[in-house]
Amino acid sequence: MALILELCLIGIASGSIYAIGAMGFVLIYKSSGIFNFAMGEMMMIGAYFLYTGMVIFGLSLYAALPLALLASALLAAGMERWLLRPLLGQPHEVMIMVLFGAGAMLRGIAGMVWGHDILRLPEILPRKPVFIGDILIPGTLFWGFLMMIAIFGGFIVYYRFSRTGVAIRATADDQTTAECMGINIRGMFLFTWVMAGLLATAAGIVGASVNGLSPYLGNVALEVIAVVLLAGLTSIGGTLLAGAIVGVMLTLIGFYLGGAFQQFMPYLLVLLVMIVRPRGLFGTKLVERI
Amino acid sequence: MAGNILEIIDLDVGYAGGITGLAGLSLKVPAGQMVALLGANGAGKSTTLKAISNLLPFEGGRVRRGTIRFEGRDITNIPAYKLSRMGLIHVREGRRVFSTMTVHENLVAASYALGKRAALDLSRRCDDIYRTFPHLERRKNLLAGYLSGGEQQMLAIGRALVGEPKLMLIDEASLGLAPVIAAEIFKVISRINVERGISVLLVEQNAMLALRHSVHGYVLDNGRSVLDGPARDLLHDPMVIERYLGGAGVPKAAERASA
């Protein structure tokens, strides 16, 4: 029993990382209707930016983290401005292909620059295991989870209550009308990409702290997309619960059935969700077939 | 040109695929007045409003030729969000409230039309809207999607007022509303026009309702203006009566209105 509880807690904690990535994904989808299939690679690159600052240039965390966030924000802004803006008005399939391509390029570039070996991030999150009663949780995962929850809460408050949050939601609700009300919707697209880039970096850094850093960290996108679809494409808040569900499921399956099952389970979950409940748990709109 | 807040000269609009939207349209809106655009479906009424507020690019259309002047300035290439910050605000057809947001959040979103003044003026502007529409204040925390059609139209108009427009373009304000509610909406529009001196250019299916509240009317056909004149005269014009006011039964109502 204690073992199952332990696995569940570990699952919830790792699910929170997917949830933050998913939140960035949903943010972009809601504001501009674009499936950002490069989200996983944005997480991966963000973590490499931090690694570069801390390990290669020997900066402290407090210097390297802002720089990594800045670099990811610039990367996200560049992707919006130079990859997607020129395609405005093109069919969505084109944008999806371009983003797949961008993801593959980022993966390739990461391999060329930083190599394909699994690197260890410096110890940002304490590794010392945390005990809750008799249950043991790896330290990085525990503190990473707390960070993810703090970021999640902060973002939800911002999204719900700030004037910019209102403008993002207005743009998500009806782009043309938002523009009529004085909201610069192209500016909003750019802004949501930057926000998503920052969220991706936070999730990527925590993910890399837990599991190590390699160009294939971006494959976590599959879990992220499973979370997105389970939550329903349009639900920002739902990503947390959906993240926990996916995280618990993967941890239990990985433990009892082994890694082979764990690898294709996200696909199976996505498939089941699409068949049983295409709106996801909290979504409002029907997902367009892609 | 003095006295015209809006002036359109010889405007051609085309859509993707070579479809013509407007062909040589000219019209004027005198400052502080209410002007109605009438015409059958597809005559180019909504296209005219979208050309003015620069929404055509959202639908694959563009101005091919001609000039649109707002307060004397050529605005043909100014993006829609900047136009609304200059005081030209479009109330779109179908109400288009942000249905997943509360009534109050709808007003907050619209404060972007105030540009940099928004931070200072937001609460004052919202109070002003709630004074004009007490009904909306009672529902300020309700999701806009749950409002009735009439309330949504009130919100759409109130939301535009947040931005302190000088000219409002109103597309089909009475569409899908019960006659009593439509009449109420037009009373509100008239009041806004008279009390606040906001100029109004409106597109309306219900020609009778529009002409009764307007000073001047244009009849559009095939993308150009085929007839225009004082609204009072149009209400008695045999061609207008036959085509847009529903034939013989209506003149009585028209007389009642002008009496």
Side-chain angles (χ1 to χ4, degrees):
Chain A
M1 194 58 217
L3 179 63
I4 291 196
L5 203 59
E6 184 175 321
L7 291 173
C8 285
L9 287 178
I10 289 173
I12 289 171
S14 50
S16 69
I17 301 169
Y18 312 145
I20 296 297
M23 204 157 74
F25 190 101
V26 171
L27 189 61
I28 289 177
Y29 177 76
K30 275 179 81 103
S31 79
S32 54
I34 291 170
F35 274 70
N36 179 15
F37 277 117
M39 196 69 195
E41 278 72 25
M42 284 166 73
M43 290 166 71
M44 176 267 297
I45 286 281
Y48 270 115
F49 283 151
L50 186 74
Y51 176 87
T52 306
M54 291 183 77
V55 175
I56 299 180
F57 293 110
L59 300 171
S60 73
L61 175 65
Y62 303 103
L65 185 62
L67 286 175
L69 289 172
L70 179 68
S72 327
L74 289 176
L75 176 70
M79 284 170 69
E80 197 282 336
R81 184 65 191 78
W82 288 300
L83 283 184
L84 294 169
R85 184 91 47 105
L87 297 176
L88 218 63
Q90 298 284 334
H92 276 186
E93 290 81 351
V94 177
M95 302 203 187
I96 289 170
M97 292 318 290
V98 164
L99 285 167
F100 256 125
M105 268 173 60
L106 288 177
R107 208 158 47 235
I109 291 170
M112 278 181 349
V113 176
W114 292 287
H116 292 266
D117 299 330
I118 296 181
L119 303 171
R120 273 191 115 180
L121 271 186
E123 191 174 325
I124 312 166
L125 302 165
R127 287 191 204 284
K128 193 167 158 286
V130 176
F131 287 91
I132 302 174
D134 283 343
I135 296 164
L136 178 147
I137 297 174
T140 47
L141 201 53
F142 178 80
W143 296 108
F145 172 70
L146 290 189
M147 258 182 69
M148 294 289 94
I149 293 295
I151 290 171
F152 185 87
F155 185 80
I156 292 284
V157 167
Y158 177 74
Y159 186 71
R160 279 281 133 211
F161 300 111
S162 75
R163 193 162 158 267
T164 313
V166 168
I168 296 172
R169 280 150 58 206
T171 307
D173 195 306
D174 185 336
Q175 290 178 5
T176 313
T177 304
E179 175 96 6
C180 285
M181 300 291 109
I183 296 169
N184 177 3
I185 60 169
R186 303 223 164 132
M188 282 295 147
F189 295 163
L190 188 66
F191 183 73
T192 50
W193 269 85
V194 168
M195 291 300 287
L198 296 177
L199 290 169
T201 300
I205 289 170
V206 172
S209 297
V210 175
N211 294 324
L213 177 58
S214 85
Y216 307 101
L217 179 67
N219 292 348
V220 73
L222 208 64
E223 281 90 326
V224 168
I225 288 169
V227 170
V228 167
L229 292 176
L230 184 63
L233 258 176
T234 51
S235 169
I236 294 260
T239 53
L240 191 62
L241 184 58
I245 294 172
V246 170
V248 168
M249 206 183 86
L250 289 180
T251 313
L252 289 178
I253 288 169
F255 186 81
Y256 288 108
L257 300 177
F261 281 89
Q262 201 179 15
Q263 288 211 325
F264 73 79
M265 279 318 284
Y267 289 99
L268 198 63
L269 182 69
V270 169
L271 197 66
L272 280 176
V273 170
M274 297 312 282
I275 292 168
V276 177
R277 192 177 159 84
R279 282 154 196 266
L281 294 179
F282 312 100
T284 48
K285 274 185 239 161
L286 216 61
V287 179
E288 203 180 317
R289 280 167 204 277
I290 51 161
Chain B
M1 91 119 253
N4 290 327
I5 189 159
L6 183 80
E7 197 169 8
I8 297 180
I9 305 155
D10 210 13
L11 191 68
D12 284 7
V13 164
Y15 283 102
I19 300 155
T20 300
L22 297 175
L25 176 81
S26 297
L27 65 79
K28 287 175 193 146
V29 179
Q33 306 217 331
M34 183 132 119
V35 172
L37 287 184
L38 312 174
N41 280 337
K45 298 171 308 223
S46 289
T47 301
T48 306
L49 298 193
K50 288 171 195 163
I52 298 167
S53 61
N54 208 350
L55 294 185
L56 290 175
F58 289 89
E59 309 186 343
R62 68 186 181 89
V63 170
R64 288 209 186 108
R65 196 167 59 92
T67 317
I68 304 170
R69 285 208 193 96
F70 174 62
E71 297 190 301
R73 177 177 171 193
D74 186 344
I75 56 165
T76 323
N77 291 315
I78 298 180
Y81 78 95
K82 281 191 184 155
L83 288 176
S84 86
R85 292 177 188 185
M86 287 162 60
L88 192 166
I89 299 188
H90 187 153
V91 179
R92 297 177 71 209
E93 180 179 349
R95 310 188 272 270
R96 303 288 191 147
V97 296
F98 300 120
S99 57
T100 56
M101 293 160 49
T102 66
V103 168
H104 190 73
E105 286 171 341
N106 267 264
L107 300 186
V108 173
S111 71
Y112 275 77
L114 291 167
K116 294 194 173 62
R117 290 173 298 147
L120 298 169
D121 289 0
L122 180 57
S123 64
R124 187 179 61 77
R125 294 301 307 138
C126 289
D127 291 345
D128 175 39
I129 304 307
Y130 289 137
R131 262 197 305 280
T132 312
F133 301 96
H135 212 68
L136 292 181
E137 181 164 31
R138 285 194 290 275
R139 296 177 184 260
K140 65 194 272 191
N141 294 318
L142 191 70
L143 287 186
Y146 292 137
L147 298 178
S148 71
E151 289 168 335
Q152 288 191 359
Q153 189 63 61
M154 295 283 184
L155 177 57
I157 292 167
R159 191 172 60 173
L161 285 178
V162 171
E164 298 194 307
K166 296 169 189 159
L167 169 65
M168 279 170 83
L169 312 174
I170 304 181
D171 199 349
E172 302 280 14
S174 77
L175 195 73
L177 300 179
V180 187
I181 309 289
E184 204 177 309
I185 298 281
F186 266 82
K187 255 184 234 151
V188 167
I189 297 173
S190 271
R191 219 174 80 210
I192 289 165
N193 169 243
V194 172
E195 288 174 6
R196 301 179 185 231
I198 296 172
S199 316
V200 177
L201 176 62
L202 51 89
V203 159
E204 187 50 57
Q205 288 280 334
N206 187 336
M208 170 78 71
L209 198 55
L211 288 174
R212 264 160 46 183
H213 288 90
S214 301
V215 171
H216 202 88
Y218 286 83
V219 177
L220 267 54
D221 194 23
N222 275 324
R224 61 168 63 83
S225 162
V226 289
L227 177 67
D228 80 277
R232 202 166 283 263
D233 296 353
L234 291 181
L235 270 171
H236 296 96
D237 186 294
M239 181 199 125
V240 176
I241 291 170
E242 191 194 334
R243 283 210 195 161
Y244 304 109
L245 299 182
V250 184
K252 277 187 210 143
E255 279 156 25
R256 261 207 315 276
S258 50

